[in-house]
Amino acid sequence: MGERIRNFDWSQTSLGDPKHWQNSLKTCVRIMLTSPQPMFVWWGKEYINIYNNAYQFILGEKHPALGASGNIVWKEIWNEVGARADIVFNKNEGTYDDALLLIMNRYGYDEETYFKFSYNPIPGDNGGTAGLFCVCTEETERIINERYLKTLQELDTLAQKESEQAIYEQAARSIESNNKDFPFGIIYKINETKKIAGPVAFIGINNEQSVFPSHIDLNVPVEGTHNFYEAYQTREIVVSENAGRRKKLPMGAWQKEATQFVHVPIFIAGHNSPIAILSAALNPFRKFDNSYRQLANLVADRIALEISKVISLEQEKNARKKIEESEKVSRLFIEHAPAAMAMFDTEMRYVSVSRKWMKEYDLTGNVIGKSHYDLFPNILGRWKQVHSRCMKGAVEKSDEDYYEKDDGSPVWLKWKVRPWYTTTGEIGGIVIFTENITQRKKAQLAIKESEERFRTMANEAPLFVWETDENLQTTFLNRSGLDHFDLDETIKMNEISWKKFIHPDDLEYVLSVMDDAAKKHHSYTLEMRLKNGRTGEYHWFLDKGTPRYADERFTGFIGTSLDINDRKQAERELENKVIQRTRELNQQNIILKQQNNLVKKILDSSVDLIAVYDTDARIISINQSALSAMKTKEEQVMGKKLLEVLPQMKDTQGHKDLLRAIDGETIHNEIYYSPVLNRYYENSLVPLKDHDDKIYAVLVMAHDNTDLITSSQKLKEAQQIAQIGHWDWDVSTNRLSWSDNMYNIYGVDPSKSIDYDKFISLVHPDDRANMQANIEFAFQSRSYNDFFHRIITPAGEIKIMYARGEVVVDKEGNVTRMMGTGQDVTKQKLLEQQLIETSKKFEERNRFIEKLISSSLDLIMVVDKDLRFITINKKAETVLGKVYKGPIIGEKVTDIDPSMIGTQTYQDLLDAFKGNIIIRDKVRSTMGGEQYYEHNYVPLFNEEAEVYAVMIISHDITENIRQMEELRKLSESDVQKNNFIAMASHELKTPITSIKGYVQLLLNAFDKEKGKEKQLPPLLVRSSLISVDKQITRLTRLISELLDLTKIETGTLELKKERFSLNQLAIETVEDILYTNTRHQINLYHDFQSYVFADKDRIGQVMINFLTNAIKYSPDSNKIDVSIHRTTNDRVAFTVKDYGIGIDNEEQEKIFERFYRAKGKEEQTYPGFGIGLFIAKEFVEKHGGQVSVESYKGNGSMFTFTLPIFK
Amino acid sequence: MKQKALILVLDDDPDICTMIKMVLDYYGHSTMEVDNEEKAKSIISSNHVDLIIMDMLLSGADGTDICRRLKQDLKTSSIPILMFSAHPTTKESCMAAGADDFISKPFEMNDMIGKVDFFIEQVRSAKSE
């Protein structure tokens, strides 16, 4: 610059030649030229410009401006500058400005600049201010940068904003604060889907000024918006020129309208297009250079950042809101649930809780988030276990859980716990429902107590006091009465209908008596039956009541009731006894009468004389033959004493016999002569005994032997005239000679000669041997034995001979002659024979009749045509009495046993009435019990040969049947045993076969010698070994079942008993089962906690058996319920219920038997020995327990075992 | 050179089936298992079965009956049947029912393979004629 100054022609200026310059000027110039800082000098009134190098840059394009007038050079800013210059020149004062804004045009455009400068007066040589010296620095960049920074700092406020709108608005405010760089603008938000941009915030303008379009359609670029569109499409800042608007634009900080606009796209990650565009007017006094552009970018980025933060925050908020919503819903639900329930997370913290729960457990305030265990540190350990199990997915419940509160008061709780699942299917925690049933339980217990009390009270004669209103509705009942009817004090009287406590048969009577008493103004006394509220039994009460009146109006009764049941009972019993006795007697009469008839019919056919006498020797039955012999009629003798009918019999043998028979002697006379009847009899007198072995009658049977006797007598006589013949046999000459009689007897012509051979030929062939023998004997013994022999006459007549003889011997002792007689005893013999036969028949008849009447093993019943019982014997009475209370005689068979209608028995009975004798074997009793009978139906005919009754004789053959059953069972058992052995060996060999197979396979694979190249892949080896292991397990189980069975059979089963918790064992067992059986869900219900004293292993085995059966036999189901509860008879029961194929009734009886395997679907049998249940039953029974099953085919089964509770 | 054959195993016990299958597979044969007669027939009708190995004692059915029926039916009679059972004494009844051979449980693997090979060989040579 120094050179330039030197070379400049200063003579053209008012300064002149530099040689002539004033010293101060020269000094300033010299200083200036050596200073690095921009400086200049304005000299004189023309403000001649002299400056240094550094100042050159400030001049910009105005350089060179040496020697020019400052006011011309800087005419655009002369307002500000000139003013200051004037101060210097006129007041001789310096000026100082720190960052003065000067809009200068040094690069061809109006530029916003800032300068820090000072004007200093230069004194002239002549005094006064000759010139002005300036030192300046351009501050433009700094100022503008500061401004930028401030703008960005303003944008920090965006971080506090929580919504998109707020951000845009705040951004607008922040940008507004820099209205120099952004005189005005609009932020447009872009609707992606509709592709429309709409203003969302205004910078430096308000809506009404509408300088920018209000909505810009981004689908179609429109004239005037295409710059905007470009910014949208290219995601780049687009600068646009002012396209000459008619409307006046806001100018922001300046006095000049903007000439340029910028569209800055704002975009965030995840969006392909900008979400907003900042359209702003630019500083008219600045070029849109890089730093300006950078500012715009930074602003846009900042906005974008905050927007995206907000968006994600909002998304998060929305999501959270949704969860909160649903949580709120479920919380509301739980809160308002009528039951006490609470929902917990996996840490047992409250998620939500119902009001009832809060109230129930004395919780106040907000418990959400608090830990349940913190709130209840003394919670029962076993409940904690339940919670933890349910957290793993179990569902548990208890219908009656008992525990004692801290203060000792008892609580009964019904509860259910189950897990709840999040939307991802994981367990989020558990839900607990509880219901306090203490009151109910207490009530139950109270009732029990009151029962005790009642019983005590009832022992002292209870007298009730009661009152009624005019409608006979009870208004008061004293304690005693309340107790009797089992009413609570709190029960309102008008809610009970006392009439229902009165026996229906007495009700009408009672009402009418009371009514009468009320009308007639007098008290009443009556007896009625009242029902005991507790037992339901009716007791007799003595009821006394007095009507009350108020002003003549009936207002009700007041009275007392006294239990007189015992007294009444006694009266009743007496009455009954009398009736009973009378009936018995009548019955006996009837029976006797019937028996009479019965016997009569049978006996009437008899030729023999038969009569039955009672113990007073009255004739109660007599047959026709006897009547004929007595020459009398039935009606004349029936019921009359013997001596009345035949007084002549007094002191006779016959009468004496009768009396002896009445005393109990059985008498038999072979020959009895009745002087009264003048006949010979063979008779029997048989005492008849009833079921108590008391004699009630005597049966007298007499066979008229007179003819026989007389004929025997005749025989005797005849014998005297006897047909005897003589014979003479000369042994030496073998000459036989007969007398004439002999020839007669033998029917041989006397003119013919007879010899021994001829004689023999007439002897009956069957008797010849005997004849020979006897003759031999005669020779040998020299004596003759008499003997009988038959002969056959030439005419063919068979006769019986009685041969007598003598032997004649000579001196030497040899038999020389035999002679004797032969007697025809044919008739006699025949008579004898008949006698024997008759007495046999007689005996038979005796036996038959005795049996008939007194047989007590068979049931004998006689029914009439209406099927009413006419008579029954004791045995029948006993048997029928078991199923039918009350008198049987007179009742219809079908009333006593209605189930018999339609049976074979019924049919047989009807058939018998048609006249047929029916015998039916092996009839099972329809009247309960396992009895088998052989029924005989015998129709009884009257004189007109009509069937008037049927006699049913039933012989009990149960024993026979039972024996046959035993035999069958034994053989079945043998068959079963054989089947079992066959099946057992198959079952055992199956796993062994598997094991052997795998082992051999492995051996082969690892055997190098045989040269097998093929190796088994390790995976295959592993799976083989796993299979082997599994088979061994299977085998072990089978063997131990077999061992158990053996131990049971041989009685060597030993039980190791200990005290343990059945519930705990159940839990463990179920867990074990669940490890290997995942198809079924097993629910365990603990109604009841119990200990038992038993062999833990074995009971566990039983549980396993039940469970594996349940699994095995329910392949299509996936649920099994197990429960432990108290039984009605104070034992603990373990029950397994499955929903599988079920078991039909027939099989239910057999499944606990040995060797029985239940049938499955399509008649398949399942693997296993079939002895599991049998063993289970044995184990349980050896502990004093029981097993049982309930099931329906197709509907699942329920197996239960019970054990005694051990405290 | 062993040729691959299709063997049908008929037994209601899945463990036995698995074991036999493993062994036969190891020796290069292919195996199919069924547990009743119907399924067996269905397999035979849609596949070429070279040999049937079956248990004499099946639940719900008698192996010898099934064997008899298979031998009487022309569609199945040509397929050799190897029967096994836990009782050696039942060999006669198995053979009487038409089984081509018998092996008792638990079986010697080499024995069984030997028999299988024999039958496969037989069938192949018959086919090649």
Side-chain angles (χ1 to χ4, degrees):
Chain A
M1 187 55 70
E3 210 174 308
R4 201 187 270 267
I5 292 173
R6 271 196 293 277
N7 293 339
F8 191 75
D9 185 8
W10 293 102
S11 55
Q12 301 300 322
T13 69
S14 59
L15 282 181
D17 199 342
K19 282 191 275 205
H20 304 300
W21 286 353
Q22 291 184 28
N23 285 330
S24 48
L25 177 60
K26 281 186 196 166
T27 309
C28 285
V29 171
R30 237 181 284 152
I31 292 171
M32 207 167 61
L33 288 173
T34 55
S35 170
Q37 227 172 325
M39 294 180 188
F40 68 84
V41 166
W42 284 344
W43 193 262
K45 287 202 172 51
E46 286 161 9
Y47 305 103
I48 302 295
N49 206 11
I50 307 171
Y51 52 91
N52 64 0
N53 278 336
Y55 188 74
Q56 183 181 329
F57 295 107
I58 290 175
L59 280 171
E61 277 170 14
K62 294 185 196 282
H63 170 73
L66 275 177
S69 292
N71 56 335
I72 293 169
V73 172
W74 293 112
K75 57 178 182 294
E76 69 267 25
I77 55 170
W78 195 248
N79 276 342
E80 284 83 16
V81 163
R84 282 159 178 80
D86 284 340
I87 293 174
V88 168
F89 276 103
N90 296 337
K91 290 190 184 162
N92 202 24
E93 281 173 16
T95 67
Y96 175 75
D97 279 282
D98 189 10
L100 179 67
L101 169 67
L102 297 165
I103 310 283
M104 55 176 66
N105 190 336
R106 51 185 174 161
Y107 290 107
Y109 65 94
D110 288 337
E111 186 185 341
E112 177 194 4
T113 62
Y114 297 87
F115 286 93
K116 178 162 48 179
F117 65 97
S118 63
Y119 286 167
N120 304 298
I122 308 175
D125 285 347
N126 310 327
T129 304
L132 144 85
F133 177 76
C134 170
V135 183
C136 63
T137 324
E138 188 164 0
E139 297 279 278
T140 311
E141 224 175 287
R142 180 180 72 90
I143 300 291
I144 287 183
N145 282 342
E146 265 178 25
R147 202 159 70 217
Y148 284 177
L149 221 52
K150 198 151 164 278
T151 311
L152 292 174
Q153 274 169 5
E154 284 291 316
L155 285 173
D156 279 345
T157 55
L158 293 186
Q160 295 154 11
K161 297 300 163 187
E162 285 172 2
S163 71
E164 271 185 62
Q165 184 61 35
I167 288 176
Y168 288 125
E169 295 252 337
Q170 187 60 29
R173 301 288 81 71
S174 309
I175 298 172
E176 244 175 25
S177 65
N178 184 356
N179 59 357
K180 289 197 168 84
D181 292 316
F182 301 103
F184 70 92
I186 300 183
I187 303 181
Y188 285 93
K189 186 166 168 188
I190 294 177
N191 183 321
E192 277 291 340
T193 37
K194 294 187 194 157
K195 286 204 155 184
I196 288 182
V200 76
F202 296 92
I203 306 164
I205 52 173
N206 57 37
N207 204 10
E208 283 158 13
Q209 289 173 291
S210 52
V211 280
F212 282 139
S214 56
H215 281 87
I216 301 175
D217 187 343
L218 292 167
N219 290 307
V220 179
V222 165
E223 173 84 42
T225 62
H226 60 266
N227 286 317
F228 186 92
Y229 185 74
E230 197 186 322
Y232 169 74
Q233 287 286 74
T234 61
R235 293 161 48 129
E236 298 283 337
I237 293 181
V238 172
V239 180
S240 70
E241 302 296 313
N242 187 3
R245 292 169 189 273
R246 286 188 208 104
K247 281 205 179 127
K248 201 160 159 13
L249 295 173
M251 291 182 281
W254 308 111
Q255 297 306 312
K256 186 177 169 199
E257 273 185 14
T259 51
Q260 284 184 320
F261 298 90
V262 71
H263 301 285
V264 187
I266 301 172
F267 42 87
I268 57 176
H271 289 248
N272 285 334
S273 311
I275 54 160
I277 293 186
L278 165 63
S279 298
L282 289 176
N283 188 336
F285 299 118
R286 286 201 55 211
K287 266 204 165 142
F288 195 62
D289 60 7
N290 279 342
S291 62
Y292 203 170
R293 185 180 283 264
Q294 199 179 35
L295 174 67
N297 274 328
L298 283 171
V299 168
D301 285 348
R302 197 56 201 269
I303 296 175
L305 177 66
E306 294 306 321
I307 294 287
S308 69
K309 263 201 232 165
V310 158
I311 284 178
S312 56
L313 260 172
E314 258 190 51
Q315 276 173 354
E316 213 187 284
K317 226 204 282 182
N318 280 344
R320 216 184 313 130
K321 228 191 209 168
K322 276 213 184 87
I323 293 174
E324 263 176 36
E325 277 297 321
S326 72
E327 271 180 17
K328 195 164 147 205
V329 168
S330 54
R331 201 178 303 135
L332 274 172
F333 164 72
I334 289 180
E335 269 174 41
H336 291 100
M341 59 189 273
M343 197 163 157
F344 301 91
D345 65 12
T346 50
E347 305 300 319
M348 278 310 285
R349 288 183 292 238
Y350 281 90
V351 170
S352 59
V353 68
S354 76
R355 297 219 172 103
K356 203 133 192 282
W357 178 284
M358 301 280 287
K359 191 157 165 243
E360 188 74 38
Y361 300 109
D362 287 327
L363 293 172
T364 50
N366 182 31
V367 300
I368 306 290
K370 290 195 186 150
S371 156
H372 184 58
Y373 296 146
D374 285 346
L375 293 168
F376 299 99
N378 293 334
I379 190 170
L380 291 180
R382 61 180 163 85
W383 282 350
K384 273 183 158 176
Q385 282 172 16
V386 172
H387 298 159
S388 99
R389 284 196 296 272
C390 291
M391 283 288 183
K392 291 182 196 143
V395 175
E396 296 193 23
K397 75 170 196 177
S398 167
D399 281 336
E400 214 179 86
D401 198 352
Y402 175 79
Y403 72 96
E404 275 169 26
K405 284 220 287 226
D406 293 338
D407 59 9
S409 56
V411 179
W412 278 270
L413 209 59
K414 185 172 166 174
W415 53 261
K416 187 166 178 179
V417 182
R418 61 167 178 76
W420 60 272
Y421 297 88
T422 63
T423 45
T424 54
E426 287 163 3
I427 291 181
I430 57 172
V431 181
I432 304 179
F433 300 83
T434 65
E435 193 183 320
N436 189 324
I437 52 169
T438 307
Q439 289 307 332
R440 206 193 310 159
K441 216 34 202 174
K442 274 191 177 163
Q444 280 177 9
L445 290 174
I447 286 171
K448 263 206 179 136
E449 265 183 56
S450 77
E451 278 175 5
E452 298 293 339
R453 222 173 346 110
F454 167 79
R455 239 177 262 124
T456 321
M457 281 196 62
N459 285 337
E460 304 138 50
L463 180 79
F464 314 159
V465 178
W466 52 267
E467 270 181 82
T468 73
D469 62 15
E470 61 273 23
N471 296 320
L472 301 187
Q473 177 63 44
T474 309
T475 51
F476 170 77
L477 190 55
N478 76 339
R479 177 86 219 176
S480 185
L482 287 171
D483 277 341
H484 185 265
F485 296 110
D486 194 37
L487 301 169
D488 196 71
E489 286 164 334
T490 58
I491 287 205
K492 294 204 180 63
M493 281 289 131
N494 57 10
E495 280 169 10
I496 326 157
S497 167
W498 58 267
K499 290 177 190 150
K500 76 171 194 239
F501 287 104
I502 298 189
H503 194 288
D505 292 344
D506 298 336
L507 186 59
E508 206 184 305
Y509 170 68
V510 167
L511 286 173
S512 76
V513 166
M514 288 176 87
D515 197 45
D516 198 46
K519 288 202 178 89
K520 297 194 179 142
H521 291 242
H522 65 69
S523 308
Y524 69 85
T525 303
L526 54 77
E527 288 180 3
M528 66 172 169
R529 285 164 290 186
L530 284 177
K531 185 155 68 166
N532 178 307
R534 178 182 57 87
T535 65
E537 273 177 3
Y538 284 101
H539 273 206
W540 282 100
F541 279 82
L542 187 68
D543 193 53
K544 292 190 180 162
T546 305
R548 291 148 105 209
Y549 304 86
D551 301 329
E552 293 303 298
R553 193 174 53 88
F554 171 65
T555 55
F557 277 96
I558 181 169
T560 59
S561 301
L562 176 69
D563 186 338
I564 53 164
N565 203 53
D566 289 340
R567 190 193 82 190
K568 217 45 188 153
Q569 193 85 319
E571 278 173 29
R572 239 314 141 69
E573 272 182 33
L574 188 62
E575 228 182 275
N576 280 343
K577 277 206 173 103
V578 169
I579 294 174
Q580 179 86 338
R581 188 74 197 128
T582 318
R583 201 181 291 133
E584 268 171 31
L585 288 171
N586 282 340
Q587 239 178 35
Q588 274 180 7
N589 285 344
I590 295 173
I591 290 174
L592 283 173
K593 231 185 233 162
Q594 290 307 326
Q595 279 176 348
N596 282 350
N597 279 345
L598 181 60
V599 171
K600 233 171 114 42
K601 292 300 164 202
I602 296 166
L603 304 184
D604 257 353
S605 54
S606 172
V607 166
D608 296 343
L609 281 67
I610 303 180
V612 182
Y613 299 85
D614 71 5
T615 47
D616 288 328
R618 278 178 215 276
I619 298 173
I620 46 177
S621 191
I622 185 161
N623 77 342
Q624 201 50 52
S625 311
L627 287 168
S628 308
M630 289 181 193
K631 294 194 183 45
T632 178
K633 287 210 173 53
E634 194 177 336
E635 46 270 28
Q636 284 171 347
V637 302
M638 282 299 281
K640 294 213 176 86
K641 285 194 177 181
L642 179 60
L643 290 182
E644 281 171 34
V645 176
L646 298 170
Q648 317 90 305
M649 281 201 73
K650 194 169 190 314
D651 294 333
T652 59
Q653 181 68 32
H655 187 244
K656 283 200 191 111
D657 282 348
L658 180 58
L659 294 176
R660 277 162 60 200
I662 287 174
D663 272 341
E665 237 184 281
T666 304
I667 299 171
H668 178 80
N669 296 318
E670 266 200 52
I671 301 179
Y672 166 75
Y673 176 71
S674 165
V676 174
L677 303 173
N678 193 27
R679 312 267 319 163
Y680 286 96
Y681 296 96
E682 181 182 344
N683 69 358
S684 296
L685 294 93
V686 180
L688 301 178
K689 297 186 184 154
D690 64 12
H691 58 279
D692 293 327
D693 238 25
K694 251 185 13 208
I695 297 165
Y696 69 93
V698 171
L699 174 68
V700 182
M701 292 169 286
H703 181 70
D704 193 326
N705 260 351
T706 314
D707 293 333
L708 183 64
I709 300 296
T710 46
S711 60
S712 353
Q713 280 171 352
K714 276 201 192 108
L715 189 66
K716 274 206 187 102
E717 285 170 30
Q719 273 180 348
Q720 282 157 16
I721 323 169
Q723 279 215 16
I724 301 176
H726 280 93
W727 54 274
D728 201 326
W729 185 30
D730 191 331
V731 177
S732 47
T733 55
N734 196 19
R735 213 169 52 121
L736 183 60
S737 55
W738 276 357
S739 69
D740 287 337
N741 252 353
M742 204 65 156
Y743 279 104
N744 239 353
I745 294 170
Y746 273 78
V748 173
D749 189 358
S751 58
K752 300 252 168 78
S753 66
I754 188 78
D755 58 32
Y756 182 77
D757 291 316
K758 186 117 193 245
F759 160 64
I760 290 292
S761 73
L762 291 165
V763 172
H764 193 292
D766 291 345
D767 293 342
R768 280 179 205 159
N770 199 26
M771 166 75 62
Q772 308 273 38
N774 275 309
I775 294 174
E776 259 315 308
F777 181 72
F779 273 112
Q780 296 291 338
S781 64
R782 296 171 183 80
S783 68
Y784 197 97
N785 262 347
D786 304 337
F787 66 96
F788 291 94
H789 65 93
R790 287 168 290 177
I791 59 169
I792 309 179
T793 64
E797 207 184 324
I798 300 178
K799 294 186 181 175
I800 304 173
M801 299 296 292
Y802 183 53
R804 279 205 201 98
E806 279 168 22
V807 175
V808 176
V809 292
D810 63 10
K811 286 181 242 68
E812 281 87 55
N814 299 323
V815 178
T816 53
R817 204 169 144 205
M818 278 200 225
M819 57 195 172
T821 59
Q823 187 179 5
D824 181 353
V825 294
T826 316
K827 277 210 188 87
Q828 188 182 5
K829 268 284 177 229
L830 276 170
L831 278 168
E832 274 178 29
Q833 205 86 306
Q834 268 180 17
L835 208 63
I836 292 170
E837 296 249 359
T838 317
S839 36
K840 262 205 212 137
K841 275 207 193 104
F842 208 52
E843 254 178 63
E844 265 178 43
R845 209 171 284 132
N846 282 358
R847 248 181 273 131
F848 171 67
I849 290 164
E850 261 185 48
K851 214 163 89 162
L852 199 63
I853 294 176
S854 69
S855 130
S856 58
L857 283 183
D858 292 347
L859 284 71
I860 303 185
M861 303 161 276
V862 182
V863 295
D864 67 11
K865 283 214 289 245
D866 294 329
L867 299 188
R868 278 179 212 278
F869 282 103
I870 304 177
T871 180
I872 56 176
N873 76 343
K874 197 61 200 173
K875 173 78 178 176
E877 202 184 312
T878 312
V879 171
L880 292 174
K882 283 195 192 134
V883 297
Y884 185 83
K885 306 282 176 216
I888 295 174
I889 303 285
E891 295 295 324
K892 279 195 176 177
V893 179
T894 47
D895 286 341
I896 291 189
D897 180 25
S899 67
M900 83 173 282
I901 299 180
T903 61
Q904 183 64 55
T905 304
Y906 187 66
Q907 200 50 49
D908 289 340
L909 195 52
L910 297 179
D911 275 345
F913 271 103
K914 293 186 189 140
N916 305 310
I917 295 182
I918 316 275
I919 299 178
R920 186 69 57 189
D921 193 16
K922 235 198 259 173
V923 178
R924 188 165 168 188
S925 168
T926 57
M927 289 187 260
E930 190 77 33
Q931 302 287 102
Y932 287 92
Y933 292 96
E934 177 191 289
H935 290 311
N936 299 291
Y937 303 87
V938 181
L940 301 178
F941 297 88
N942 59 14
E943 289 90 17
E944 283 89 60
E946 287 166 350
V947 179
Y948 73 94
V950 165
M951 179 163 70
I952 310 165
I953 305 176
S954 301
H955 185 63
D956 189 334
I957 52 170
T958 309
E959 262 316 303
N960 295 352
I961 300 287
R962 196 171 296 143
Q963 280 169 8
M964 275 167 33
E965 250 320 293
E966 286 291 333
L967 280 169
R968 190 185 63 78
K969 267 203 183 138
L970 278 174
S971 64
E972 238 185 44
S973 165
D974 280 343
V975 167
Q976 271 180 350
K977 273 193 192 148
N978 286 338
N979 281 349
F980 175 72
I981 289 171
M983 188 261 296
S985 36
H986 181 266
E987 287 293 317
L988 286 173
K989 283 202 184 169
T990 298
I992 290 176
T993 306
S994 266
I995 294 171
K996 199 168 170 77
Y998 287 118
V999 167
Q1000 289 196 338
L1001 183 65
L1002 291 171
L1003 279 174
N1004 274 349
F1006 290 106
D1007 191 341
K1008 294 192 186 94
E1009 276 184 31
K1010 292 203 175 168
K1012 304 240 187 280
E1013 297 111 35
K1014 192 166 176 187
Q1015 286 290 330
L1016 259 188
L1019 228 61
L1020 221 54
V1021 173
R1022 187 179 153 73
S1023 65
S1024 302
L1025 288 172
I1026 289 174
S1027 298
V1028 168
D1029 193 41
K1030 184 173 149 205
Q1031 292 304 314
I1032 291 175
T1033 305
R1034 178 174 165 181
L1035 194 53
T1036 312
R1037 180 180 63 77
L1038 289 172
I1039 291 173
S1040 66
E1041 259 188 30
L1042 212 48
L1043 285 174
D1044 278 336
L1045 182 66
T1046 312
K1047 280 192 202 154
I1048 290 171
E1049 295 281 287
T1050 58
T1052 52
L1053 181 72
E1054 273 172 12
L1055 296 174
K1056 294 197 228 31
K1057 292 192 180 175
E1058 60 179 292
R1059 177 179 183 270
F1060 65 90
S1061 156
L1062 197 67
N1063 306 68
Q1064 193 56 38
L1065 181 62
I1067 291 169
E1068 287 163 7
T1069 308
V1070 169
E1071 268 184 38
D1072 285 340
I1073 297 269
L1074 281 175
Y1075 272 128
T1076 48
N1077 293 279
T1078 50
R1079 188 161 34 94
H1080 290 82
Q1081 179 183 331
I1082 302 182
N1083 301 322
L1084 182 55
Y1085 300 107
H1086 296 276
D1087 275 15
F1088 179 63
Q1089 298 288 323
S1090 167
Y1091 281 84
V1092 295
F1093 187 68
D1095 184 325
K1096 192 168 174 187
D1097 277 339
R1098 296 266 151 68
I1099 297 295
Q1101 229 175 305
V1102 176
M1103 287 183 181
I1104 290 175
N1105 175 265
F1106 279 9
L1107 284 164
T1108 44
N1109 280 344
I1111 291 172
K1112 223 197 283 187
Y1113 288 89
S1114 62
D1116 295 331
S1117 140
N1118 60 359
K1119 180 165 84 134
I1120 290 171
D1121 293 331
V1122 177
S1123 85
I1124 294 179
H1125 56 269
R1126 190 197 276 270
T1127 64
T1128 48
N1129 57 347
D1130 214 30
R1131 296 175 145 237
V1132 59
F1134 174 92
T1135 297
V1136 174
K1137 182 168 166 58
D1138 74 67
Y1139 299 89
I1141 59 176
I1143 307 165
D1144 63 34
N1145 282 337
E1146 250 183 59
E1147 289 206 302
Q1148 280 181 40
E1149 289 168 9
K1150 299 193 204 156
I1151 48 173
F1152 288 105
E1153 279 174 26
R1154 233 175 355 173
F1155 315 135
Y1156 192 86
R1157 266 196 300 195
K1159 300 226 171 39
K1161 267 200 291 200
E1162 298 148 359
E1163 299 313 303
Q1164 270 185 329
T1165 50
Y1166 286 84
F1169 282 142
I1171 53 179
L1173 277 176
F1174 171 73
I1175 292 177
K1177 175 166 174 261
E1178 288 292 311
F1179 283 160
V1180 169
E1181 282 180 0
K1182 285 201 163 30
H1183 284 93
Q1186 278 182 318
V1187 295
S1188 62
V1189 59
E1190 241 182 77
S1191 174
Y1192 296 98
K1193 188 94 184 152
N1195 259 345
S1197 319
M1198 196 162 91
F1199 281 84
T1200 304
F1201 72 79
T1202 61
L1203 290 173
I1205 298 175
F1206 192 73
K1207 300 282 183 242
Chain B
M1 161 85 151
K2 288 202 192 79
Q3 287 158 309
K4 207 163 180 199
L6 176 60
I7 302 172
L8 180 62
V9 179
L10 170 55
D11 191 348
D12 61 337
D13 190 304
D15 293 333
I16 296 278
C17 281
T18 311
M19 186 271 294
I20 295 179
K21 181 178 165 65
M22 202 183 243
V23 171
L24 293 175
D25 282 354
Y26 173 76
Y27 283 99
H29 302 298
S30 68
T31 333
M32 298 183 85
E33 306 107 62
V34 292
D35 61 7
N36 66 43
E37 195 180 348
E38 300 312 308
K39 289 185 190 160
K41 282 201 177 130
S42 141
I43 300 266
I44 291 171
S45 62
S46 50
N47 294 279
H48 177 77
V49 173
D50 293 302
L51 170 65
I52 299 173
I53 300 181
M54 62 181 284
D55 192 352
M56 187 193 147
L57 194 62
L58 295 165
S59 59
D62 185 343
T64 50
D65 283 341
I66 296 180
C67 178
R68 216 168 274 128
R69 283 196 282 273
L70 287 171
K71 284 297 177 188
Q72 279 166 0
D73 185 348
L74 280 175
K75 286 187 267 206
T76 52
S77 58
S78 59
I79 307 174
I81 295 180
L82 172 61
M83 271 183 97
F84 61 84
S85 147
H87 309 274
T89 53
T90 51
K91 176 170 180 174
E92 273 165 36
S93 23
C94 288
M95 302 307 282
D100 293 277
D101 207 342
F102 174 87
I103 185 167
S104 71
K105 280 202 290 199
F107 20 81
E108 291 294 320
M109 208 44 58
N110 293 330
D111 209 3
M112 189 181 86
I113 291 298
K115 288 188 199 288
V116 167
D117 285 343
F118 169 75
F119 284 116
I120 302 297
E121 199 48 53
Q122 204 182 47
V123 168
R124 296 285 177 209
S125 55
K127 270 175 52 173
S128 61
E129 277 166 20

